[in-house]
Amino acid sequence: MNAVILEKEKVSITEAAPGKIGAEVRGWDVTTFTKDSPEMEMLRQLIYRNKVVVIRGQYDITEQEQVNFANAVGRPQVYFQANYHHPDYPEIFVSNNLNEDGQKFGVSGTGRYWHTDCAFEKHPLSFTSVRPIFFPKSARETSYIDMARVYRELPDDLRRYVDGAMAMQEAWPRYKVQACDIDRSIEEIIEGFKTECPPIAHPAVIQHPVTGEKILYISSGFTSGLVGLSHEENERVMKALFDFVEQPKYVHTHFWEDGDLIIWDNRPLIHKGSKAKPGEKSRMYRIGIYDDLPFYVGIDQ
Ligand SMILES: [Fe+2]
């Protein structure tokens, strides 16, 4: 780790060692930042270089302040499914197992599988920022895998399947049933959601628009297979790819502390949330942020 201490401002920035991921910033107050703050360009470069950045000490920031911060970094996303929205701040995607005064508030049990946010959209999400509101006692972590490193280390017998290939990204198997689905058949629900969010193909290997790195852009959460392979071939090849990707040696785990605000680049990272035990409180506020660069080299913006 490379620690840079800027004494005057009492800011410390610790960057990842070469080949590793994860930077840590202490001493920033994100509620004071605007689009023109010099810290914003510094933060974007930290994200591209380190892939995930934790900003410590962001206690008690309000929903509005979190939205303002997202606006300072880039362009906040409003997620396409309104049942995830905070009732007063549609930019805030609420992952939550607690309801407010008996009213449903956000969605529980989100993202507990390897994935990259919104891979199933035509323009996937550049950055994700997350701030925990309640931590479950038993599960205070989010895990990441650097898919640029995985691609660099991918053996030739797997690489030959993904180089130049397109991979199908599909959200429907992860659809969360809502109150409005009562009395609809499973088939109707799936077909309705596929109409709203149809499967889409992206290259299985993408190139980062800033770092130029090549990245294996697949995840066991959203990628259903490679275009052009038979069903049986896909079953075999995707299992071999995911077994290689999800090796413990590639997993970087962030252990949450009170006051953490984390932000990562969805291009090179897949991630997975941890699961709270029944009865434990869990609430996270996520805001997706577009950096308004092409998601990968070759896609229109
Ligand atoms: Fe996610």
Side-chain angles (χ1 to χ4, degrees):
M1 300 281 253
N2 269 329
V4 177
I5 313 284
L6 308 172
E7 284 294 342
K8 204 172 133 202
E9 296 92 354
K10 294 197 176 86
V11 171
S12 75
I13 297 174
T14 307
E15 295 206 48
K20 304 280 186 190
I21 62 170
E24 179 190 66
V25 179
R26 291 180 186 272
W28 276 357
D29 175 1
V30 303
T31 66
T32 64
F33 293 165
T34 66
K35 269 192 191 312
D36 301 324
S37 301
E39 288 89 350
M40 285 299 95
E41 186 51 31
M42 199 186 293
L43 175 59
R44 276 189 284 270
Q45 296 309 319
L46 281 174
I47 297 167
Y48 295 134
R49 276 203 302 274
N50 298 275
K51 301 174 183 175
V52 53
V53 176
V54 56
I55 306 172
R56 306 278 194 192
Q58 308 307 301
Y59 305 102
D60 301 325
I61 67 175
T62 64
E63 285 92 341
Q64 184 63 60
E65 286 168 337
Q66 190 177 354
V67 172
N68 293 348
F69 169 68
N71 267 301
V73 177
R75 182 167 54 89
Q77 176 197 47
V78 175
Y79 192 66
F80 74 105
Q81 289 182 277
N83 54 319
Y84 288 83
H85 294 177
H86 187 294
D88 302 320
Y89 299 90
E91 302 91 337
I92 299 179
F93 172 113
V94 180
S95 174
N96 179 46
N97 67 8
L98 293 160
N99 291 330
E100 297 286 309
D101 304 324
Q103 298 295 307
K104 185 105 174 79
F105 184 70
V107 175
S108 69
T110 63
R112 299 185 305 214
Y113 45 85
W114 288 111
H115 67 286
T116 168
D117 291 334
C118 304
F120 45 80
E121 295 194 342
K122 181 160 186 263
H123 295 283
L125 182 63
S126 328
F127 298 161
T128 298
S129 64
V130 171
R131 180 170 74 99
I133 307 301
F134 297 113
F135 286 117
K137 284 197 185 67
S138 62
R140 294 175 67 121
E141 68 246 23
T142 301
S143 298
Y144 299 89
I145 292 177
D146 177 4
M147 297 295 279
R149 178 181 168 199
V150 169
Y151 180 73
R152 285 196 299 274
E153 298 180 8
L154 200 62
D156 287 344
D157 63 327
L158 291 176
R159 186 180 294 242
R160 72 187 177 90
Y161 284 104
V162 293
D163 275 344
M166 300 296 283
M168 292 308 298
Q169 310 288 346
E170 312 199 25
W172 66 267
R174 304 291 174 181
Y175 177 77
K176 299 272 194 180
V177 171
Q178 306 176 51
C180 61
D181 294 318
I182 290 173
D183 293 337
R184 297 172 80 202
S185 70
I186 297 290
E187 188 179 36
E188 275 179 281
I189 294 170
I190 291 174
E191 289 310 312
F193 187 65
K194 279 185 173 175
T195 304
E196 188 181 9
C197 183
I200 189 165
H202 286 296
V205 179
I206 61 171
Q207 187 175 12
H208 197 288
V210 176
T211 66
E213 278 188 311
K214 286 194 162 181
I215 297 159
L216 181 61
Y217 190 62
I218 60 170
S219 68
S220 53
F222 290 144
T223 311
S224 57
L226 299 171
V227 175
L229 296 192
S230 68
H231 177 75
E232 292 72 19
E233 264 185 308
N234 257 323
E235 292 239 307
R236 182 178 62 77
V237 172
M238 298 315 287
K239 180 177 185 314
L241 282 165
F242 295 138
D243 284 350
F244 185 84
V245 168
E246 295 170 11
Q247 296 180 79
K249 69 175 180 178
Y250 290 131
V251 178
H252 168 99
T253 301
H254 173 70
F255 295 95
W256 292 93
E257 293 178 13
D258 288 334
D260 283 356
L261 170 63
I262 202 163
I263 181 163
W264 69 83
D265 186 350
N266 277 302
R267 298 172 176 98
L269 296 183
I270 57 172
H271 64 279
K272 180 168 83 162
S274 51
K275 186 176 178 182
K277 284 187 179 154
E280 284 189 333
K281 289 181 185 177
S282 172
R283 181 178 294 173
M284 297 264 201
Y285 285 171
R286 157 185 138 180
I287 303 184
I289 304 171
Y290 295 99
D291 61 5
D292 284 334
L293 295 174
F295 191 78
Y296 50 82
V297 173
I299 193 177
D300 58 331
Q301 202 166 313

